[in-house]
Amino acid sequence: AEHQHARYNPLRDDWVLVSAHRVRRPWQGQLEKPPPEDVPRWDPNNPLCPGATRANGEVNPQYDGTFVFPNDFPALQPDAPEPDDSDHPLFQAAPARGVCKVMCFHPWSDLTLPLMSLAEIRAVIDAWAELATELGASYPWVQIFENKGAMMGCSNPHPHCQVWASSFLPNEARLEDRTQREHLSQHGVPMLLEYAEQEARRKERLVVENADWLVVVPYWATWPYQTLLLPRRHVCRLQDLGESERDSLASIMKRLLIKYDNLFEVSFPYSMGWHGAPTGPHLGGDCRHWQLHAHYYPPLLRSATVRKFMVGYEMLAQAQRDLTPEQAAERLRSLPEVHYKEEDK
């Protein structure tokens, strides 16, 4: 805990430098603005609200649950032309086609996931699974991700996520596919299934758990309060979850996100996303090496206004963190599971 050391990340086949003593250094750097507490419940000028007009002139329906629509500014389009042939191996381009969708979690702009009911979170999970099935029927990768908070690049406070389906396996997917395949070949068990069993037994990095799921600060975490959400049984894709597993997923997500908000008593920023076995042409292949999981990458380090910057050494050498995963897990684990905004209710 007091001496620097490196830890291996078998999922990414790389290393992270742990320098826990650095968290005590004085901070005279940038201070972030806390997220606004006065987000209006409904704003006719907010393009994600029910009944609002979006940038392309489309008018949202008066939705009362989840709402999915095509991204008005998609990074991927299904009919993009083929790039020109390369005349040199150092200048390669490849086709990139796909579909980008936006999914609103709830009609209210001031209600984030940890403040939603279990039934409302379960509806989000079901919508994720439906999109993964629909888009995964033809596309090899469906990336569900949520950027929460302006600090993580979110341009709209309304609770929502994005779903990008691509005609190719992105870098992180290809990397995790290789490392998990190699682990199964060498050890005869899916990497993250074995990892979950180990963490459930050791408990030192455990944050929350229930009968079907556990959340840990991974041994190789890079971000200060990074977590990994894992099922206890072997399951390859989000759409493979049973009814009771989806209910318990809603519960453990709410518990984790309440702890995040309670850490600095602020709507906790993060980027999160689901990783599961590839789809499309891979649906009929052997994907036993894959284990479904979700990554949560929050940037806050010391307070609601001091974040971890991935610069300098992190960009030019390797990832580095300023407190141990065990310290982060203990702090999260000890937090109450009643949201600070609801303590007096």
Side-chain angles (χ1 to χ4, degrees):
E2 294 299 322
H3 301 285
Q4 68 269 15
H5 60 281
R7 296 191 183 191
Y8 180 61
N9 180 347
L11 193 57
R12 299 198 74 260
D13 189 22
D14 64 10
W15 292 80
V16 57
L17 175 62
V18 182
S19 310
H21 56 283
R22 277 172 52 85
V23 79
R24 296 194 296 266
R25 74 191 192 280
W27 181 258
Q28 295 180 328
Q30 179 171 320
L31 297 179
E32 308 291 339
K33 289 183 178 180
E37 294 284 348
D38 56 349
V39 176
R41 180 153 291 183
W42 183 82
D43 180 355
N45 296 315
N46 186 328
L48 297 186
C49 282
T53 302
R54 303 203 308 274
N56 64 355
E58 295 278 343
V59 177
N60 296 334
Q62 294 291 342
Y63 65 92
D64 58 5
T66 60
F67 170 51
V68 178
F69 62 92
N71 194 314
D72 296 329
F73 303 96
L76 293 164
Q77 296 177 322
D79 53 358
E82 294 274 340
D84 294 335
D85 292 334
S86 172
D87 63 355
H88 192 281
L90 293 179
F91 302 91
Q92 297 186 48
R97 299 185 179 93
V99 172
C100 297
K101 293 183 180 288
V102 175
M103 188 180 106
C104 295
F105 296 153
H106 196 278
W108 295 354
S109 292
D110 60 343
L111 200 67
T112 56
L113 279 170
L115 294 170
M116 288 167 58
S117 69
L118 290 176
E120 290 166 336
I121 299 173
R122 168 64 196 268
V124 170
I125 293 166
D126 288 340
W128 282 343
E130 289 171 12
L131 283 169
T133 301
E134 172 195 337
L135 298 174
S138 53
Y139 287 103
W141 190 255
V142 180
Q143 184 59 65
I144 298 167
F145 65 97
E146 178 194 5
N147 294 325
K148 180 170 179 264
M151 202 180 299
M152 296 308 289
C154 182
S155 60
N156 192 311
H158 193 95
H160 71 285
C161 72
Q162 298 189 56
V163 183
W164 293 11
S166 61
S167 61
F168 55 92
L169 287 185
N171 293 342
E172 293 297 312
R174 286 191 290 110
L175 181 57
E176 289 193 2
D177 185 72
R178 174 179 67 80
T179 57
Q180 290 180 97
R181 189 183 299 275
E182 289 174 354
H183 188 93
L184 180 65
S185 175
Q186 295 171 10
H187 302 282
V189 61
M191 177 198 295
L192 292 180
L193 182 63
E194 181 178 12
Y195 180 69
E197 292 171 349
Q198 286 288 323
E199 289 288 31
R201 180 174 61 83
R202 296 168 185 258
K203 297 191 181 304
E204 57 189 329
R205 284 169 295 274
L206 191 66
V207 178
V208 287
E209 63 178 331
N210 61 27
D212 300 312
W213 301 88
L214 70 157
V215 176
V216 300
V217 177
Y219 178 79
W220 53 78
T222 299
W223 294 92
Y225 293 96
Q226 175 181 334
T227 55
L228 185 63
L229 172 57
L230 294 161
R232 292 183 184 272
R233 78 169 178 96
H234 186 204
V235 54
C236 291
R237 300 178 178 93
L238 190 64
Q239 54 268 46
D240 298 335
L241 295 174
E243 294 292 318
S244 63
E245 289 172 318
R246 296 185 187 197
D247 286 340
S248 58
L249 175 56
S251 173
I252 204 163
M253 283 176 55
K254 184 176 177 72
R255 292 169 64 196
L256 169 65
L257 297 179
I258 286 174
K259 285 180 178 289
Y260 269 161
D261 280 10
N262 284 346
L263 179 61
F264 299 127
E265 294 196 348
V266 70
S267 185
F268 206 70
Y270 59 74
S271 285
M272 70 80 64
W274 285 99
H275 282 174
T279 49
H282 303 276
L283 286 171
D286 184 0
C287 291
R288 291 174 299 162
H289 54 291
W290 269 92
Q291 175 74 328
L292 175 70
H293 58 283
H295 297 282
Y296 284 84
Y297 298 130
L300 293 178
L301 173 59
R302 300 173 181 225
S303 69
T305 60
V306 177
R307 67 178 297 178
K308 165 69 177 176
F309 287 90
M310 292 294 182
V311 294
Y313 191 85
E314 291 86 353
M315 296 176 70
L316 297 165
Q318 71 180 37
Q320 181 269 333
R321 61 178 291 118
D322 292 343
L323 74 166
T324 67
E326 294 76 25
Q327 290 168 334
E330 182 180 12
R331 187 164 184 190
L332 288 173
R333 188 168 55 242
S334 65
L335 291 166
E337 294 188 11
V338 175
H339 198 278
Y340 72 92
K341 289 185 175 181
E342 298 182 326
E343 284 181 342
D344 298 327
K345 291 185 179 180

